[in-house]
Amino acid sequence: MYDVVLLTLGSERDAPGGGCGSGGACCGGESEASGERPEERCETPRVPVLACADALTARGARVETVTARSDAEIDEVLARLDGPARADGLTWPDPDSKTRLVVAAASDGQLRAVLRRLVRRYAPPPSRRPADLPGNRTVPDLPPVGVLPLDPARSGTARDLAAQLGLPRDPAAVAAAVLDGTPRRLDLLRNDGGSVTLDGALLGAADDAGRPLHWRARVEVDGKLLSTGEEPLMACAIGNAGGYASLGDVALLADPDPSDGRVQVAVAVPVVTRSALGRKRVRLEVRRARGRAAAVVPRDEKVPFLDDGVEGELSRKRSWWAEPGAWAVWTA
């Protein structure tokens, strides 16, 4: 039977709204308003984690719950997925591992934090690229992970990655998928900033009233220009899955597929037209492209963005590229 590690992130760095879960609670304890320190609150795992652990134990699995509060503590858990020593000295995942990992995540940003550490652990340096690494990848097949969403499914277009992929949310169903299911391999977007993207990124900003602000950037996909950097943009979506497929009622990405081996990119450009009566109107022109890699070179000083729900600012060129089938989730 399997050893299963149920990993929860105790750090608040990758959760939107300043907390790891609903109400700002890292692991389901009191909110920040209570005055308790995160370390105190995170000693007791959240209810879905306990329920999943019970379901796994009932099936005969040996279960350990871990709350990681740093990259080093995440790495300690991931080391259990290492394979046997290789002649080339590279650290490689074990394809026949009897240890399975479940990530209990309150946000896509938390799941991304674990995948980022997996990539850093197993990606070989370019100078030591092994012959058994797929030619279209910079990382080996990463070990499949179980995903235990800690927050309820959201309706509408703002769905988390688990909902988009149709993954189970019930703890018992997650346990069954991890023990009896099959891995579903998915594309991973890497970028030259040293991070990864599972769902997508949305570049752009809005004023206090929620109106999009204009900004400029050169945007290209496999050498095809979507914007030269001279015209104003309202938004730019870098998509692997469909989390940023729409901006309000404007469709940006067309049928994003997280397993097609390509990154999809769209820019929304305001175009001014005049009616027969001379009245000025503004419509949005959406330009789209798919390819192996995309690059954005901002012309403004800083361009705000969301990447898997995590906020950031882009002040220099950033490139994303697709790693086909690089990571996987356990599915029923």
Side-chain angles (χ1 to χ4, degrees), residues 1-325:
M1 185 45 70
Y2 296 104
D3 293 320
V4 181
V5 181
L6 263 166
L7 175 63
T8 301
L9 298 194
S11 168
E12 299 183 0
R13 51 189 181 164
D14 289 305
C20 298
S22 298
C26 281
C27 302
E30 298 296 325
S31 68
E32 292 291 344
S34 70
E36 294 186 46
R37 294 183 296 114
E39 291 83 353
E40 295 170 345
R41 289 189 273 107
C42 289
E43 292 304 322
T44 302
R46 289 178 63 164
V47 171
V49 176
L50 297 175
C52 189
D54 288 344
L56 289 164
T57 301
R59 295 284 307 279
R62 294 179 292 268
V63 182
E64 181 181 358
T65 60
V66 177
T67 298
R69 301 181 181 86
S70 67
D71 286 344
E73 292 180 349
I74 295 175
D75 293 344
E76 288 179 7
V77 171
L78 301 185
R80 308 183 195 191
L81 305 175
D82 290 356
R86 291 169 53 107
D88 56 15
L90 294 174
T91 301
W92 219 246
D94 185 357
D96 300 316
S97 176
K98 295 302 181 183
T99 298
R100 294 195 169 176
L101 173 66
V102 179
V103 180
S107 68
D108 289 343
Q110 290 190 338
L111 180 60
R112 182 186 76 158
V114 176
L115 265 295
R116 185 173 62 229
R117 300 310 301 177
L118 274 173
V119 168
R120 293 200 175 194
R121 183 167 194 83
Y122 295 125
S127 61
R128 299 177 61 192
R129 181 182 178 89
D132 56 342
L133 187 65
N136 59 352
R137 294 246 296 273
T138 65
V139 294
D141 284 355
L142 300 176
V145 298
V147 180
L148 175 63
L150 293 180
D151 285 345
R154 295 185 294 272
S155 60
T157 57
R159 299 186 302 158
D160 61 16
L161 189 60
Q164 293 180 57
L165 297 175
L167 300 181
R169 305 185 81 88
D170 176 75
V174 172
V178 169
L179 295 180
D180 302 326
T182 56
R184 176 184 174 185
R185 301 222 66 88
L186 301 164
D187 302 337
L188 181 72
L189 299 186
R190 293 194 67 185
N191 67 58
D192 56 4
S195 190
V196 301
T197 300
L198 309 180
D199 186 350
L202 180 65
L203 290 75
D207 61 19
D208 293 338
R211 294 182 296 263
L213 299 174
H214 293 177
W215 52 284
R216 289 174 170 79
R218 178 186 175 92
V219 181
E220 60 182 300
V221 182
D222 288 357
K224 176 183 177 180
L225 278 179
L226 295 182
S227 172
T228 64
E230 302 302 321
E231 55 198 337
L233 302 178
M234 300 287 275
C236 174
I238 311 289
N240 187 38
Y244 299 106
S246 299
L247 179 63
D249 58 355
V250 178
L252 295 176
L253 304 178
D255 301 321
D257 182 352
S259 57
D260 66 356
R262 296 184 293 173
V263 56
Q264 185 175 167
V265 183
V267 295
V269 183
V271 177
V272 178
T273 61
R274 292 189 180 275
S275 68
L277 299 177
R279 293 176 181 172
K280 185 171 69 173
R281 296 177 180 175
V282 178
R283 65 176 178 86
L284 280 183
E285 175 184 299
V286 179
R287 304 169 188 168
R288 303 181 180 95
R290 296 176 189 257
R292 175 80 170 89
V296 177
V297 184
R299 301 304 189 198
D300 298 335
E301 183 177 353
K302 292 181 179 179
V303 178
F305 67 86
L306 289 174
D307 192 332
D308 284 343
V310 181
E311 297 180 355
E313 289 185 332
L314 194 63
S315 59
R316 63 184 66 182
K317 181 180 178 181
R318 174 67 50 84
S319 297
W320 288 261
W321 65 91
E323 299 270 345

